[in-house]
Amino acid sequence: MAHVKFFSGKTLPLEMHKVRIVQKLFLPPVEERCRLMNAAGNNTFLLQNRDVFMDMLTDSGVNAMSDLQQSAMLRADDAYAGSETYNRMVAKVQEIFGFEYFLPVHQGRAAENILATAFVKPGDVIPMNFHFTTTKAHITRLGGRVEELIIKEGLEPVNDCPFKGNFDIPRLETLIQEVGVEKIPFVRIEAGTNLVGGQPLSLQNMREVSAVCKKYGVRLILDASLLQDNLWFIKSREAACKNMTIREITTEIASLMDIIYFSARKLGFARGGGISLRHREDELRMKEFIPLYEGFLTYGGMSVREMEAIVVGLDESMDEDVISQGPQFIEYMANELHRRGVPVVLPAGGLGCHINASEFLAHLPHEQYPAGALAAALYIAGGVRGMERGTLSEQRNEDGSERFAELELLRLAMPRRVYTLSQVEYAIDRVEWLYKNRALVGGLRFVEEPSVLRFFFGRLEPIGNWQEKLAAKFREDFGDSL
């Protein structure tokens, strides 16, 4: 990926690939979008993909594979045990992270389940820069609790901090001293932080976290699912790393960790995942859970074709031209929206463009789920499916009260190698129109609320008839245009 200056003086991100396979898209009329949103319980997870024009729900498992990945899938070895495909995958993970031991799993949350089952017991405390929904759910179901120790800048929507995902090092050391090492089975780094705008950590901050962990003898674990974005930010934003290659930065990060796990639905442009381990005793502690929860030790619930795609995809994740596209498209979108007055998280992080729903819909109280309402409104306005990353993504407190999120964000994920710049421009235009008509957007309330991970399959309804009014305004402004 490159930024190219045009003769007109404008600078745009330029794709360093060409499209060889295409998939037809559909855009239902606005009245139909309004009906479909209500039929889906105002939950974008429950929309059918055939009814979505731009799917910006996630970048997990929806990134485009390269020609080399597709061709590699043809040589997969289907053997149940002793597969050469497995051997190639282990060798590639060892090459990139430098750890001897590897356990395959079918995706990232499966790795979280194995790690939590192996290490977490009632009363344990897990420090991390910020939680991810499924990570926290696995820890809390076993009686542990999460302590978020992100720096204060990480919870500010707009500032100049280039690494808003950094750990607060003094708070980490204080927590270890207060809780006691025996109650902390591991410290978890998420690079970058999914729920607060895909914000990265610096390599220097990871070194400092590692030093604290070594001082107290605490295991350090890296969630590397979003690592490729974080690698790009380290190289482009951290002065001391500008002359390092992506592989060199990866090697340095891995040298600080005891365990690295990842979802290949993000890291590797495929579907699957794995746990890479430095220490034999940790591998033995978790190994027995793989056949129990996942599959045999040489496939871990993955198809061998996906494993072959991961092998190639991990190599591509070490290529600057490949991993820069996502962050640069996201930066372009965030900066364009900011220029048009739309409140977004800045500096732009990885994973997607994050709209500050609290400011966008400042007239809505937290208990009416502004980020969820904004996600529903944007689908009606443009057939664009985003993901709520706010209070809906939290779990209620034990007494049943809402735990209001630190940030109310609508995430517009940027699947890698999928959308063109003209499609991104379309999404920007519809967001801008919605912002100018934001007074029409009302809140949501639950009609079906699961107790855990409610944002996946809970159902809500609009408070009042604001959606019909929004659709009518769209038709007034755009006429017969979809």
Side-chain angles (χ1 to χ4, degrees):
M1 192 71 189
H3 271 108
V4 173
K5 189 170 183 178
F6 287 75
F7 182 64
S8 65
K10 190 171 186 177
T11 299
L12 295 173
L14 184 69
E15 299 92 334
M16 297 298 288
H17 61 263
K18 58 185 177 182
V19 178
R20 299 286 298 278
I21 297 176
V22 297
Q23 181 179 18
K24 187 173 176 58
L25 294 175
F26 299 93
L27 179 58
V30 63
E31 293 83 6
E32 181 69 359
R33 297 197 296 267
C34 190
R35 185 192 69 78
L36 291 165
M37 192 72 262
N38 277 277
N42 288 278
N43 183 343
T44 55
F45 273 96
L46 301 182
L47 286 166
Q48 299 302 302
N49 190 54
R50 63 176 176 266
D51 299 322
V52 174
F53 177 63
M54 284 188 70
D55 194 357
M56 305 182 83
L57 183 79
T58 182
D59 67 341
S60 181
V62 294
N63 299 298
M65 285 189 184
S66 68
D67 53 348
L68 297 179
Q69 286 183 288
Q70 293 278 355
S71 61
M73 294 171 78
L74 297 176
R75 70 170 183 171
D77 180 355
D78 279 317
Y80 187 93
S83 165
E84 281 303 303
T85 290
Y86 172 75
N87 293 336
R88 282 190 284 270
M89 183 172 181
V90 171
K92 183 56 62 179
V93 174
Q94 289 174 336
E95 172 194 325
I96 288 177
F97 294 133
F99 293 173
E100 183 175 352
Y101 308 104
F102 177 72
L103 298 173
V105 294
H106 79 274
Q107 65 181 92
R109 71 195 53 166
E112 294 168 346
N113 175 47
I114 301 296
L115 288 161
T117 302
F119 295 119
V120 178
K121 59 185 184 301
D124 281 349
V125 177
I126 313 299
M128 54 185 71
N129 48 342
F130 210 78
H131 82 278
F132 182 61
T133 49
T134 53
T135 318
K136 184 175 181 178
H138 282 302
I139 290 168
T140 56
R141 74 176 172 83
L142 294 168
R145 68 180 170 89
V146 167
E147 283 288 335
E148 296 167 344
L149 303 177
I150 196 168
I151 58 173
K152 64 179 180 60
E153 290 88 348
L155 301 178
E156 298 170 356
V158 178
N159 57 45
D160 294 328
C161 180
F163 294 103
K164 293 164 70 171
N166 278 354
F167 256 91
D168 186 321
I169 301 300
R171 287 174 62 202
L172 173 61
E173 188 151 16
T174 297
L175 179 68
I176 294 174
Q177 292 170 351
E178 290 176 351
V179 172
V181 170
E182 68 282 357
K183 287 289 186 181
I184 300 179
F186 58 85
V187 171
R188 173 183 173 271
I189 290 177
E190 185 178 340
T193 47
N194 190 312
L195 296 184
V196 289
Q199 295 297 320
L201 297 86
S202 69
L203 177 56
Q204 180 57 33
N205 186 254
M206 292 189 224
R207 290 184 182 124
E208 292 168 2
V209 175
S210 177
V212 172
C213 288
K214 285 181 169 59
K215 176 179 175 179
Y216 292 97
V218 177
R219 188 181 288 107
L220 182 57
I221 295 179
L222 173 68
D223 179 348
S225 301
L226 292 174
L227 182 63
Q228 64 185 37
D229 287 349
N230 209 119
L231 290 168
W232 172 252
F233 289 127
I234 288 173
K235 180 167 179 61
S236 59
R237 295 181 183 178
E238 195 165 354
C241 302
K242 289 191 182 296
N243 295 323
M244 296 174 69
T245 67
I246 297 298
R247 282 184 180 267
E248 287 170 343
I249 296 170
T250 304
T251 299
E252 174 71 12
I253 290 172
S255 73
L256 305 172
M257 307 299 162
D258 297 298
I259 297 173
I260 298 174
Y261 73 92
F262 63 95
S263 168
R265 296 176 70 88
K266 295 181 183 291
L267 182 71
F269 307 102
R271 292 165 186 82
I275 307 170
S276 187
L277 309 101
R278 180 182 301 280
H279 305 294
R280 173 67 169 166
E281 56 268 29
D282 286 341
E283 189 244 10
L284 291 174
R285 192 166 178 174
M286 287 185 276
K287 192 174 187 176
E288 63 191 74
F289 297 121
I290 302 298
L292 184 63
Y293 294 125
E294 294 297 300
F296 191 61
L297 280 170
T298 58
Y299 66 87
M302 287 183 278
S303 79
V304 288
R305 287 161 184 78
E306 292 291 351
M307 293 165 71
E308 291 285 6
I310 292 170
V311 173
V312 177
L314 288 174
D315 262 339
E316 293 176 354
S317 294
M318 298 293 106
D319 184 333
E320 283 184 39
D321 284 339
V322 172
I323 67 172
S324 61
Q325 180 187 343
Q328 289 181 9
F329 262 45
I330 293 163
E331 180 183 38
Y332 176 81
M333 186 174 192
N335 288 344
E336 273 296 300
L337 287 172
H338 176 68
R339 186 178 66 81
R340 301 176 193 204
V342 179
V344 293
V345 173
L346 294 175
L351 205 163
C353 174
H354 292 75
I355 299 173
N356 180 1
S358 293
E359 187 177 341
F360 195 112
L361 301 178
H363 58 283
L364 292 186
H366 273 295
E367 55 267 25
Q368 292 186 17
Y369 310 118
L374 184 55
L378 182 57
Y379 174 73
I380 293 170
V384 178
R385 173 162 65 170
M387 185 191 290
E388 188 273 356
R389 297 278 72 169
T391 297
L392 278 179
S393 295
E394 297 285 350
Q395 294 179 197
R396 287 186 181 268
N397 298 314
E398 290 184 6
D399 64 0
S401 62
E402 282 285 9
R403 183 187 187 277
F404 296 125
E406 299 278 2
L407 294 172
E408 285 282 342
L409 304 178
L410 171 61
R411 184 182 79 194
L412 300 178
M414 196 71 69
R416 306 309 188 246
R417 306 185 287 204
V418 171
Y419 293 122
T420 64
L421 199 58
S422 65
Q423 290 168 319
V424 174
E425 291 280 9
Y426 167 84
I428 291 169
D429 179 82
R430 293 307 187 255
V431 172
E432 182 185 17
W433 177 86
L434 188 59
Y435 185 63
K436 293 184 184 303
N437 292 280
R438 60 191 180 278
L440 294 174
V441 180
L444 301 174
R445 60 186 166 220
F446 270 106
V447 292
E448 294 179 21
E449 182 178 357
S451 58
V452 179
L453 300 176
R454 60 186 181 172
F455 67 93
F456 276 138
F457 44 92
R459 301 181 72 86
L460 303 99
E461 64 181 6
I463 299 172
N465 65 340
W466 63 265
Q467 294 182 342
E468 290 80 3
K469 292 179 179 178
L470 186 70
K473 177 61 175 171
F474 181 93
R475 179 62 71 195
E476 176 186 327
D477 287 353
F478 289 95
D480 292 335
S481 172
L482 296 179

